[in-house]
Amino acid sequence: MKRDEYLPSVIPQTDGTRVWPAALAAVSGSAMVGIMPLMARVLYADGLSAPSMLFWRYALALLALIAGAKAMRLDLGAAWRGGGWRIFLLGATLGAAQTLCFWESLKTLETSIAVLLFYTYPVMTLALDRLFFNQPIRPFALSCIAIILLGAGLITLPGVHGGTIDLRGLLWAIPSPMVYAFYLAINSRLLRHYPPVVGAAGLFGGMALTFGLAAGFIGLDLPSRPAIWAVLVFVALGPGALTMSLFAFSVPRLGASSFAILANVELVTVVMIGILVLGEAVTPGRAVGALLIVAGILTYGLAQNRDYRRPNSRSISASASVT
């Protein structure tokens, strides 16, 4: 199979009917990722370390993605030779790094602080697009991000307790949003040349290798009973293979900045699970914070839809940058 067969280049998103599928993919995939903290709590309680949990998640998801690629008659070998190895390398480096930074920070840092620091990544994504890719920063996008960050602050800051912030956790947490912003920016340009399943398989293959090496070095933990294996299979297929396929579909069509804004729905999912599953209190701050996040996301999404429908608008020209 020729290399050009894996370089179709995404069709320019010049109208809202083509933008909304990618936006819905971004929102639904990010909502599923919001389930991960609860599942991680179960796996940690069983004695799995973070590298072992992540290795099993990515390895099992990779098997599902390979099976999906075979069913769709996609030649992964041809994709690799056509440059797909770059996706694998990105997953093994920046993909694994941003994941490790976040999960390691949670070991010694207040969860609320770690989450709030991480959710600064949309601002960094806008800055990277401007500095490295010469993309204009729209004041409207900054306003939506400010609303979302305010909502994130209302949700997370009440959970910050008094006392000294652990320096080790802080050192893990600080680079996480910047690494993720670079990861998004590169993916928005790299993944456009490959089918979503191929992109997802490449990213998870790289992450599985990195965390497999880490787990092999410190020791690979195994689930203690079938129920824990079932949890691992769930996180591999749902918030794993399916979510990454939606990610690989939406990021190159939306661009890094737009995806970063829409993906904040993940925090709303975390709050809903805390209330509905863990019995956490519904405070006015949390309620208002969740509403602000949803409002920021919807406002941005509706404005994008309006701009794409406007003939000869600047947004149409800008959309060519993600093709």
Side-chain angles (χ1 to χ4, degrees):
M1 189 171 291
K2 297 180 180 180
R3 183 177 186 269
D4 290 345
E5 295 186 39
Y6 280 101
L7 298 175
S9 187
V10 177
I11 298 173
Q13 305 302 309
T14 56
D15 62 75
T17 59
R18 288 175 178 170
V19 172
W20 276 107
L24 290 174
V27 169
S28 57
S30 299
M32 281 191 285
V33 174
I35 302 173
M36 273 303 298
L38 176 63
M39 297 295 100
R41 177 181 296 191
V42 175
L43 296 172
Y44 286 157
D46 192 62
L48 269 71
S49 65
S52 292
M53 175 193 72
L54 294 169
F55 167 74
W56 288 118
R57 179 194 179 195
Y58 297 138
L60 294 173
L62 181 60
L63 293 177
L65 289 167
I66 291 174
K70 294 292 186 183
M72 297 171 65
R73 300 182 181 276
L74 297 175
D75 192 337
L76 294 178
W80 177 275
R81 293 189 297 274
W85 59 268
R86 295 174 297 174
I87 302 176
F88 182 92
L89 182 62
L90 181 61
T93 54
L94 294 184
Q98 59 89 13
T99 302
L100 181 64
C101 285
F102 180 74
W103 289 104
E104 285 293 334
S105 71
L106 292 179
K107 289 183 177 180
T108 57
L109 195 65
E110 288 279 354
T111 302
S112 298
I113 298 176
V115 170
L116 188 58
L117 286 172
F118 180 76
Y119 275 91
T120 61
Y121 78 84
V123 178
M124 298 182 182
T125 303
L126 283 177
L128 288 178
D129 273 351
R130 177 59 180 171
L131 293 175
F132 292 95
F133 304 107
N134 201 31
Q135 296 294 312
I137 297 178
R138 299 173 60 196
F140 182 78
L142 286 176
S143 299
C144 290
I145 289 177
I147 293 172
I148 291 169
L149 285 176
L150 177 59
L154 288 173
I155 290 172
T156 58
L157 285 179
V160 179
H161 303 296
T164 303
I165 296 177
D166 185 87
L167 182 59
R168 293 170 300 169
L170 190 62
L171 291 176
W172 279 111
I174 288 175
S176 182
M178 179 57 74
V179 174
Y180 190 66
F182 273 105
Y183 175 74
L184 273 183
I186 297 172
N187 268 316
S188 69
R189 289 151 179 86
L190 184 59
L191 293 177
R192 70 182 62 146
H193 301 302
Y194 302 90
V197 172
V198 173
L203 290 171
F204 269 11
M207 293 181 193
L209 175 64
T210 297
F211 288 111
L213 292 174
F217 180 76
I218 65 175
L220 180 62
D221 300 322
L222 294 172
S224 63
R225 57 187 190 277
I228 303 301
W229 276 110
V231 172
L232 274 175
V233 171
F234 171 75
V235 300
L237 298 181
L242 178 56
T243 293
M244 185 56 78
S245 297
L246 294 172
F247 173 91
F249 173 81
S250 59
V251 168
R253 290 164 172 80
L254 294 172
S257 299
S258 293
F259 178 87
I261 292 173
L262 297 175
N264 281 274
V265 73
E266 177 185 337
L267 186 55
V268 179
T269 305
V270 172
V271 173
M272 294 301 296
I273 289 176
I275 294 172
L276 299 176
V277 179
L278 302 179
E280 296 178 355
V282 182
T283 64
R286 282 189 169 187
V288 173
L291 289 175
L292 285 174
I293 292 173
V294 173
I297 292 171
L298 288 178
T299 302
Y300 183 81
L302 291 172
Q304 287 291 92
N305 183 54
R306 179 197 62 204
D307 289 342
Y308 280 119
R309 289 181 181 276
R310 183 184 302 152
N312 301 320
S313 68
R314 291 179 60 188
S315 296
I316 292 178
S317 299
S319 69
S321 66
V322 298
T323 62

